[in-house]
Amino acid sequence: MDKTRVEEEFVWNKTRILHPADVYPESLYIELTSRCNFSCKGCFREGFTEDFGDMKDSTFRAILSALDGKKAKRGVKRVFIGGIGEPMLHPRFSRFFRELSTRVPVIELQTNGSFLDDRRIDYLIDAGLEKLVLSYETGSLGHAAGSSLDEVGVSGNFLWQAIDRVKKAKKKAGKRRPLIAVEWVLTRESLEDLETFAAAVVAAEVDEIIISNMLPVSAEGEKEILYRTDGCRGGDPMEPLFRSIRHRIHYTIPQFSLKTERSCSFIESNSAVLRWDGEVAPCYRFLHNGMERIDGREMELIAHSFGNIAKSPLYEIWNSREYIWFRISVSQSLYPSCTDCSLKAGCEYLRDSSGNCWGLAPSCGNCLWARQIVVCP
């Protein structure tokens, strides 16, 4: 790569496009491990067709080297520790977290909360954790398999115990951070728990609730979805409930039918996702090999990497011509809308995510994240 190059030129439909080629991502999503201590049937980890793994020390050192560079210090504003696994399962989680927290202004963590004892909570608060996102699922597809919130008991559940511990530790330390968010996946079955769940979140005085639809990986899971991808408008099952709590808590909720507008939160926030083995992906959807089901049809998801941070500098990967053009294409919606295409029934491109009929690889044509049907923190 020519390190003096500051612009990259592309031509699309006879239009000349200039894009900066001397920039750094503003946000990094880092997956320390793809392992998890739960096997929720509703999680798209259940559709993985690859082995699970933990980040090696050498890969982590490459990340630290990238963050220590002058350009990174001007560019990277936020690190989000998450991915598809449970990050606190990594044997060196505490050391990795501390190293990252000293290098970026904002560090956030997503966890299922089952490892949040008092010692770890004090550690995270002391290290400057900005936001804690707690994931929890109910029903037969989630953590409390076969049980509703009423049956499990809100007060006795580890999620609510973790929230209580964090709040008490913040008060003791005299700190207002981390902010606490609770993420929950909505299905036909868990819809029965929604009112109880929302009331419990409000009562716990957390800062945010994040609701997402489920991305099914099996025919069983597809029966549980509440949204429509057939071009018809779906009803919003949460609208009456959230009218009553609208001014009591900050919340993010998904769409329940296709929108014309498409927007990728990873691209719009200038984010890169670093897999446990160092591969640099554009988003969660292309982080792992797996399967997904949309409109009753199974699609093979093929992981897509623009480079490996253990082999090439992150700066060069981010500014590669291939990665720049992918970001331009997605941000400007220069890709087909497969979910509402009249030809999708017989389309060979929908067998897998490797590419689409407009030539973009990988294919975002039927991505439910871009439609805000599936939501990530």
Side-chain angles (χ1 to χ4, degrees):
M1 168 178 285
D2 179 6
K3 296 184 179 180
T4 64
R5 180 172 57 96
V6 296
E7 284 185 331
E8 188 71 65
E9 180 178 336
F10 304 89
V11 176
W12 170 264
N13 196 24
K14 300 182 180 179
T15 299
R16 182 168 172 256
I17 301 172
L18 292 177
H19 190 279
D22 186 30
V23 293
Y24 227 82
E26 296 178 28
S27 179
L28 296 181
Y29 284 76
I30 299 178
E31 179 185 72
L32 297 181
T33 178
S34 59
R35 296 184 299 118
C36 187
N37 55 319
F38 289 110
S39 296
C40 303
K41 293 182 180 180
C43 178
F44 42 83
R45 287 179 71 258
E46 296 299 297
F48 279 12
T49 56
E50 60 184 43
D51 294 332
F52 302 125
D54 295 338
M55 183 172 287
K56 295 180 179 179
D57 285 3
S58 57
T59 302
F60 186 72
R61 286 196 297 270
I63 295 175
L64 296 184
S65 295
L67 291 173
D68 286 337
K70 292 182 179 179
K71 291 182 182 295
K73 289 181 179 179
R74 294 198 305 266
V76 179
K77 305 294 192 300
R78 167 181 176 259
V79 162
F80 186 94
I81 300 177
I84 312 301
E86 168 50 52
M88 299 187 80
L89 267 179
H90 195 286
R92 285 175 293 287
F93 168 80
S94 295
R95 180 169 68 84
F96 285 4
F97 183 90
R98 176 69 72 173
E99 294 279 4
L100 290 168
S101 69
T102 63
R103 287 168 166 82
V104 291
V106 174
I107 185 166
E108 301 175 0
L109 169 67
Q110 182 175 21
T111 172
N112 59 40
S114 59
F115 295 102
L116 282 175
D117 56 24
D118 292 335
R119 180 181 61 84
R120 286 193 175 99
I121 290 170
D122 289 341
Y123 180 88
L124 293 172
I125 293 174
D126 182 64
L129 179 63
E130 173 69 18
K131 186 176 183 178
L132 176 67
V133 181
L134 294 165
S135 302
Y136 184 71
E137 318 303 338
T138 63
S140 60
L141 300 178
H143 302 160
S147 302
S148 69
L149 275 176
D150 289 332
E151 292 169 327
V152 172
V154 170
S155 61
N157 185 271
F158 68 83
L159 172 70
W160 311 103
Q161 293 175 356
I163 292 172
D164 188 57
R165 288 194 185 105
V166 173
K167 288 168 58 181
K168 288 180 178 178
K170 287 198 301 180
K171 184 176 180 180
K172 182 179 179 181
K175 294 185 178 181
R176 301 178 64 183
R177 297 292 189 271
L179 300 175
I180 303 173
V182 177
E183 182 183 29
W184 197 54
V185 175
L186 190 65
T187 65
R188 291 188 182 279
E189 183 181 11
S190 67
L191 181 60
E192 299 176 1
D193 291 327
L194 179 59
E195 189 169 359
T196 304
F197 180 78
V201 169
V202 171
E205 297 180 337
V206 302
D207 300 285
E208 181 181 5
I209 181 172
I210 303 168
I211 304 283
S212 176
N213 279 302
M214 179 179 65
L215 180 68
V217 297
S218 66
E220 177 188 5
E222 196 168 25
K223 295 176 183 177
E224 287 294 315
I225 64 174
L226 292 162
Y227 51 87
R228 301 287 297 270
T229 58
D230 57 4
C232 298
R233 181 167 179 78
D236 185 345
M238 296 187 297
E239 187 175 355
L241 174 63
F242 276 84
R243 275 202 302 267
S244 66
I245 67 170
R246 188 180 302 274
H247 303 296
R248 301 173 64 185
I249 187 172
H250 176 69
Y251 62 89
T252 300
I253 59 176
Q255 297 293 319
F256 289 87
S257 57
L258 292 180
K259 290 180 62 180
T260 301
E261 300 86 359
R262 291 176 291 172
S263 176
C264 173
S265 61
F266 290 96
I267 297 298
E268 294 302 321
S269 62
N270 288 317
S271 299
V273 185
L274 310 184
R275 199 167 70 180
W276 63 268
D277 58 358
E279 297 297 332
V280 181
C283 61
Y284 278 174
R285 185 170 181 254
F286 295 125
L287 196 57
H288 295 281
N289 294 319
M291 306 297 295
E292 68 179 18
R293 290 183 65 89
I294 299 177
D295 286 336
R297 182 170 182 164
E298 192 171 70
M299 169 182 263
E300 180 184 2
L301 287 176
I302 300 175
H304 190 93
S305 171
F306 289 98
N308 190 297
I309 196 170
K311 300 176 181 178
S312 302
L314 179 59
Y315 172 80
E316 292 188 8
I317 295 171
W318 183 257
N319 287 289
S320 66
R321 184 175 176 85
E322 180 190 15
Y323 202 169
I324 290 175
W325 177 242
F326 180 83
R327 298 198 302 271
I328 291 174
S329 300
V330 175
S331 66
Q332 301 302 313
S333 296
L334 303 182
Y335 59 95
S337 179
C338 302
T339 42
D340 54 355
C341 176
S342 61
L343 302 176
K344 66 181 179 181
C347 182
E348 292 296 312
Y349 286 103
L350 292 179
R351 290 184 180 272
D352 61 52
S353 63
S354 60
N356 59 47
C357 61
W358 287 21
L360 183 66
S363 175
C364 302
N366 62 346
C367 177
L368 298 184
W369 277 271
R371 303 283 190 171
Q372 290 86 56
I373 289 175
V374 177
V375 177
C376 280

